[in-house]
Amino acid sequence: MKLARGFCDLNISATDTDLKKTLLKALSLGYQTLAINREVTDTLEQHQKGKKRKKDDFPSVPPPPKVTLTKEDLDRHGITKEPVILTRITITYADPGSAFLSKFRNSIKQYDIIAVTPTTDSALKQTVSQTVVDVDIIALGPEERGTRFARKLLRLAVERNIYFELSYGPCITDSTRRQQTITLSHVLHHSFRSANIIVTSQARIPSHLRRPYDVMNLGKFFGLTDAGAKAALVAMGHNVVYFAAMRRQGVARCAAQVTLLKNTNGQDDSIAKYEGLDDARKYLKTQNA
Amino acid sequence: MHNPEVEKHPPPECRLYHGCYHWEQVGKEAAWRKLVDQHPFNAKISLLMPDLPSVPADLRELLTQDTQFYRIDKLPLHQLCAPAFLQAFLNKGQVFGLSCDTLLDTDNSAVIAPDGLLRLLLNKFTYQELALSGSLSADILRTPMEKFVVEVDLKNPNFYPGKPRYQQVKNAFTQLPLAFSFWILWVPNDPDVCPSSIAKYFHDLGYSVSECAATLSQNVLEKAFMPFPGPPVEEAGLDEQIAEPEDLLEWIGCQTLGIRLSQKESVLSGVVEPRHGTPVNNLCCAQSSGFFSPSLIHLLIQYTRSWLAQREATAVPWVSLTVYGHPDSAMSWRWEKPSCSSWDNLYTLVITREHLLAFMLLGPGKPQRLIAQSHNGVLSCGETAQGSKTLLLSPNTSLPSPITQGALVVCNKVYGKLILEVGGVHLRARQVTVVIRATSTALRMWWCSSATTEHSGRPRAVIRCPTGSSASAMPSSYSMCLTQGRANTSTRLERLGLTCMAATKGLAISW
């Protein structure tokens, strides 16, 4: 189980050409935990009513990309710390009724981090309630309609330890994207005071990357405080990786066993098992009463 | 939230304590001895001595001969609890250990203080996995909960196998194999024992040990004007000639950086020549970086004192010794409550024939957020002749229009030159106003750059302070204003640059 260390950049787009260069650049800038992102879009074709989608219409989910960085690569760029490289998949889909997620559940589960970009309200509802697949990050994409996200859903997501992503990479090139990202960040701030936010780069080429301290400064424009901006890179990133790993391990159940060692009367009472702490407390109350 | 504060960032508070001591004072009065002893991890020493064309051989020998320290890679912490280590080294001398390559704000770091305290500064996940109890760090703001301090007293007489505390610590360290690369220095109590036996011990255990030595560099200025350090004398008229402590420190720092001081305060520079002082020749500034123990500092003080006694008073009025701590160490000062901070911690001793003036510079007193100072290898290859410190700063960007160019400005400050790196793919030539706010003067300069593109697509300009002009300031904050310039194909640096802060005052980096 790989845990995150240092500064995290959890969205580096997996293009075929520049991936290694981008990774090395990010590591030399100071990030230590990187996640290679692969985007999969569930294309919703305008099919006629009634017809079911054929099997060919589904886009396929490729297996996770593997990148090895040799020691010489690291030395050449002066990277002293050991990098942690994870894999991530971002699924964009609109229709919660489509069978896409359940069909490819196994291949999706091979990735370390699962992110979702829902484009409709109902899709958002499905991801938050986490029926089909466990989601770690919700990356809300650029939306033409303004604030359509229901605050209750967003708050519910925060309670369930789902993190929201703000990426600054597209902001560098495109000014409309910039405005949309800032609007989105304001919305998130209004909804839940920017509690569970990570900032990522979504970098396709190495020059989209920025140093972590610069990104922390940029976080101020995204409505984060100083501490929040630092947390968005460090602590929240670590949390995302940790929760993702825990989700893959499975639901943790804990059983409590309460044993009474000795009765207050001095006799050895038989060791009794109780169903839970409440029962034990009730027993103690009856004892003391 | 809608208008984030991007302009006003007050500089962090910097505390200066100073005192004047007579050489004959002993005991509690000689607080300077305690000052030296309680700063265990000294990373750099800077000496300012007039009338010295080059560093004399015995001083060079003192600084470089016996000052080897060892770097041990990936030493797991349970080795430090091994009874052999405890008996052979910890109890028979002073062990100084500092974890290298760990940044204070993102990584776990560890120090071993000479009196046997192992102090770990851990991130939240590591602390939760390590089964030892600790507390939230007092120097770092508690919300969000970031850093935890775990302290183990290795020299406790109850710390040996068999005792419950020892078992607990050993189990915790074995269960979570927390390993750091340490710089280790051992000063044995018995002078006959060779200090390198600690290296041999770890080498025999199978860890890779490398020996590091202190480096020495020097910088000689031909003519200088040294201010009077004080203490105030009773004679009338001479009282005003004594320099204020801040001014004295500023002067010392300027000499360390090689800043030429002008006579009058001009618009370019807020630092001037001292009004009253003694002219001297051949002011030598020797700097040595490595890993030094307080006993070496005491030896240096003795040496300079005897050297001072041999020279005339007019040629050599006083000598100063500045000691810097390592910026990423988890313990800067070993008081009852050891403190650490990511700001500058240093002390300066001004040695005259009768007195010793001690100045101690500390960071802010209140808990701070851990942000912003990443020192990329203070002790390693990023050194210029003046001892550079590469700081990654991002000054306050006050942008006139919302982030129009997607430019993020990173300031790399190396003492002696200011490297401004402007990021942004479409940035070809920009007019950047750099406003450096000193205490009273402001310095404005324009530059157009399209200089080296070390980082692809990112123009970068190196602004040096040419020796002719004395453009220097004591900036306490800066802000950068990025305006959209005309697409200018001129590629020359337009105006001259400015040097960076004096070495002694706390660097006020504002965000």
Side-chain angles (χ1 to χ4, degrees):
Chain A
M1 183 180 74
K2 288 191 272 189
L3 271 190
R5 283 196 290 259
F7 286 111
C8 308
D9 188 1
L10 291 179
N11 191 344
I12 295 195
S13 289
T15 53
D16 290 318
T17 49
D18 275 331
L19 181 61
K20 200 161 175 183
K21 268 205 304 191
T22 319
L23 286 181
L24 286 170
K25 174 80 189 288
L27 289 173
S28 64
L29 280 182
Y31 293 100
Q32 212 177 341
T33 307
L34 303 172
I36 307 175
N37 185 19
R38 183 153 278 171
E39 290 184 26
V40 170
T41 313
D42 183 18
T43 50
L44 183 70
E45 291 177 359
Q46 298 292 335
H47 51 264
Q48 287 78 15
K49 38 187 180 192
K51 274 194 190 167
K52 278 203 185 152
R53 292 172 67 166
K54 296 187 204 148
K55 275 195 187 164
D56 312 334
D57 292 346
F58 287 114
S60 62
V61 175
K66 281 203 199 8
V67 178
T68 45
L69 294 176
T70 58
K71 192 118 188 0
E72 291 84 28
D73 290 332
L74 296 180
D75 284 338
R76 212 182 322 143
H77 287 256
I79 301 164
T80 44
K81 308 197 189 197
E82 226 181 86
V84 177
I85 301 190
L86 306 163
T87 52
R88 167 187 152 158
I89 181 171
T90 305
I91 309 169
T92 310
Y93 75 104
D95 182 17
S98 84
F100 173 66
L101 284 181
S102 47
K103 190 169 160 56
F104 286 105
R105 196 187 302 187
N106 288 337
S107 40
I108 291 177
K109 282 217 161 91
Q110 289 173 13
Y111 286 83
D112 290 322
I113 305 177
I114 304 173
V116 159
T117 306
T119 38
T120 56
D121 280 333
S122 43
L124 179 65
K125 196 163 182 189
Q126 190 193 31
T127 56
V128 169
S129 53
Q130 291 202 336
T131 46
V132 187
V133 79
D134 291 329
V135 164
D136 305 314
I137 303 178
I138 293 186
L140 295 165
E143 290 299 317
E144 289 79 18
R145 281 163 51 204
T147 57
R148 60 161 177 85
F149 305 112
R151 283 195 195 174
K152 272 196 195 159
L153 280 182
L154 298 181
R155 283 206 196 117
L156 191 59
V158 167
E159 276 176 43
R160 285 183 190 228
N161 291 325
I162 302 179
Y163 285 76
F164 290 87
E165 178 192 14
L166 290 170
S167 42
Y168 64 85
C171 298
I172 294 179
T173 43
D174 191 11
S175 69
T176 49
R177 196 59 191 271
R178 227 174 273 147
Q179 287 167 358
Q180 284 164 353
T181 315
I182 294 190
T183 321
L184 174 63
S185 63
H186 284 209
V187 165
L188 292 180
H189 180 81
H190 282 308
S191 309
F192 54 90
R193 293 207 66 90
S194 307
N196 276 9
I197 290 195
I198 60 170
V199 176
T200 60
S201 73
Q202 205 168 2
R204 288 174 194 280
I205 45 177
S207 51
H208 280 175
L209 289 161
R210 296 288 177 266
R211 282 211 164 99
Y213 295 107
D214 291 336
V215 177
M216 271 159 54
N217 255 13
L218 193 61
K220 286 206 119 170
F221 287 99
F222 290 159
L224 305 168
T225 54
D226 274 337
K230 175 125 195 277
L233 280 183
V234 176
M236 298 293 149
H238 291 200
N239 284 352
V240 166
V241 176
Y242 182 70
F243 286 136
M246 290 297 118
R247 266 193 205 105
R248 267 183 304 143
Q249 262 193 4
V251 181
R253 289 184 210 280
C254 166
Q257 175 183 340
V258 178
T259 55
L260 292 173
L261 293 178
K262 228 173 199 165
N263 214 355
T264 40
N265 298 335
Q267 306 157 4
D268 265 324
D269 210 358
S270 61
I271 297 178
K273 284 195 183 153
Y274 296 92
E275 281 304 306
L277 280 182
D278 291 341
D279 282 342
R281 284 192 194 121
K282 270 191 232 160
Y283 176 76
L284 271 182
K285 272 195 193 152
T286 52
Q287 282 277 306
N288 292 338
Chain B
M1 208 307 278
H2 284 277
N3 294 318
E5 184 64 65
V6 287
E7 279 200 41
K8 293 200 196 62
H9 294 271
E13 174 209 349
C14 169
R15 297 173 291 170
L16 174 66
Y17 298 103
H18 55 98
C20 175
Y21 309 97
H22 211 270
W23 283 115
E24 316 305 325
Q25 283 170 338
V26 284
K28 253 178 87 172
E29 302 288 321
W32 61 268
R33 278 190 219 275
K34 239 171 74 170
L35 180 74
V36 174
D37 286 331
Q38 281 182 345
H39 197 246
F41 307 107
N42 308 304
K44 188 163 140 179
I45 298 179
S46 163
L47 277 169
L48 206 64
M49 302 163 84
D51 200 25
L52 205 68
S54 67
V55 179
D58 43 0
L59 181 61
R60 192 183 288 265
E61 201 183 291
L62 189 66
L63 282 173
T64 49
Q65 276 296 351
D66 277 326
T67 51
Q68 283 98 358
F69 56 101
Y70 303 97
R71 183 199 158 114
I72 306 178
D73 287 326
K74 297 222 178 21
L75 181 70
L77 287 178
H78 60 84
Q79 283 296 337
L80 294 176
C81 301
F85 178 78
L86 292 177
Q87 274 175 3
F89 297 106
L90 205 68
N91 290 331
K92 294 219 174 77
Q94 295 179 322
V95 175
F96 297 84
L98 185 61
S99 61
C100 41
D101 283 347
T102 53
L103 299 176
L104 202 62
D105 46 350
T106 47
D107 301 326
N108 306 318
S109 52
V111 286
I112 310 172
D115 58 348
L117 183 76
L118 172 69
R119 188 170 197 244
L120 305 169
L121 211 65
L122 303 173
N123 286 333
K124 188 166 137 210
F125 277 131
T126 326
Y127 173 66
Q128 284 171 346
E129 287 181 9
L130 189 69
L132 292 175
S133 71
S135 55
L136 275 177
S137 169
D139 299 305
I140 294 147
L141 214 54
R142 285 170 188 230
T143 56
M145 293 200 284
E146 274 187 358
K147 286 285 196 187
F148 296 85
V149 173
V150 174
E151 289 182 0
V152 176
D153 191 3
L154 296 174
K155 267 198 179 166
N156 202 343
N158 284 338
F159 197 74
Y160 55 86
K163 289 285 185 169
R165 170 77 177 153
Y166 179 84
Q167 273 313 112
Q168 187 190 25
V169 168
K170 182 119 196 216
N171 286 343
F173 284 151
T174 337
Q175 178 202 23
L176 177 74
L178 200 58
F180 295 103
S181 300
F182 276 102
W183 281 312
I184 291 241
L185 179 68
W186 184 49
V187 177
N189 283 340
D190 188 5
D192 290 335
V193 180
C194 175
S196 63
S197 43
I198 199 172
K200 185 162 180 311
Y201 170 78
F202 283 115
H203 185 74
D204 290 339
L205 282 177
Y207 300 105
S208 81
V209 178
S210 53
E211 183 178 326
C212 319
T215 60
L216 180 64
S217 62
Q218 62 178 4
N219 185 18
V220 180
L221 194 63
E222 288 203 348
K223 278 194 194 313
F225 197 62
M226 296 176 78
F228 292 123
V233 195
E234 287 86 27
E235 302 169 23
L238 278 186
D239 265 354
E240 304 134 8
Q241 295 191 356
I242 306 292
E244 293 288 313
E246 289 92 4
D247 293 337
L248 184 65
L249 274 190
E250 188 176 316
W251 186 88
I252 294 177
C254 292
Q255 298 315 313
T256 318
L257 286 177
I259 298 177
R260 283 214 6 203
L261 304 170
S262 61
Q263 288 292 348
K264 280 189 299 194
E265 193 173 304
S266 67
V267 75
L268 285 181
S269 156
V271 190
V272 293
E273 292 263 348
R275 260 166 289 143
H276 309 277
T278 30
V280 294
N281 296 326
N282 283 335
L283 185 68
C284 172
C285 176
Q287 297 179 22
S288 169
S289 48
F291 195 47
F292 305 107
S293 65
S295 47
L296 183 77
I297 313 285
H298 280 299
L299 280 177
L300 271 179
I301 298 177
Q302 303 277 9
Y303 173 85
T304 48
R305 226 187 132 191
S306 59
W307 183 81
L308 200 63
Q310 293 166 7
R311 302 303 204 104
E312 302 176 7
T314 47
V316 180
W318 47 270
V319 168
S320 94
L321 168 72
T322 311
V323 178
Y324 301 86
H326 190 87
D328 281 323
S329 78
M331 183 196 297
S332 307
W333 298 91
R334 176 83 186 95
W335 294 321
E336 287 85 30
K337 266 178 86 179
S339 76
C340 76
S341 64
S342 53
W343 313 107
D344 276 335
N345 284 296
L346 54 99
Y347 61 90
T348 305
L349 303 170
V350 172
I351 301 172
T352 57
R353 286 176 178 78
E354 301 89 24
H355 298 95
L356 173 81
L357 293 113
F359 301 90
M360 181 166 81
L361 209 71
L362 290 178
K366 292 185 279 194
Q368 291 289 307
R369 276 185 211 290
L370 272 185
I371 44 172
Q373 266 191 357
S374 99
H375 298 259
N376 296 330
V378 172
L379 290 187
S380 69
C381 44
E383 306 251 1
T384 63
Q386 293 163 345
S388 74
K389 204 190 241 183
T390 311
L391 297 163
L392 237 64
L393 312 163
S394 195
N396 329 319
T397 46
S398 76
L399 307 169
S401 48
I403 327 170
T404 47
Q405 303 307 321
L408 289 166
V409 187
V410 171
C411 226
N412 258 335
K413 279 212 154 133
V414 177
Y415 285 146
K417 49 187 178 184
L418 178 70
I419 302 178
L420 285 171
E421 195 175 327
V422 185
V425 184
H426 304 298
L427 217 54
R428 211 168 310 153
R430 294 261 162 258
Q431 267 178 347
V432 174
T433 315
V434 178
V435 177
I436 308 280
R437 261 180 259 279
T439 45
S440 60
T441 59
L443 157 63
R444 204 174 254 274
M445 28 152 291
W446 298 84
W447 56 272
C448 285
S449 96
S450 123
T452 62
T453 49
E454 270 178 54
H455 305 273
S456 55
R458 217 191 271 206
R460 192 180 197 232
V462 175
I463 305 171
R464 279 196 178 79
C465 174
T467 48
S469 86
S470 59
S472 71
M474 273 285 292
S476 50
S477 75
Y478 11 81
S479 68
M480 279 219 190
C481 177
L482 207 63
T483 59
Q484 186 174 3
R486 291 180 292 268
N488 195 340
T489 51
S490 136
T491 56
R492 280 177 305 129
L493 243 50
E494 287 289 323
R495 273 300 169 90
L496 307 171
L498 34 86
T499 55
C500 311
M501 298 60 70
T504 50
K505 273 246 171 124
L507 284 169
I509 298 155
S510 15
W511 282 94

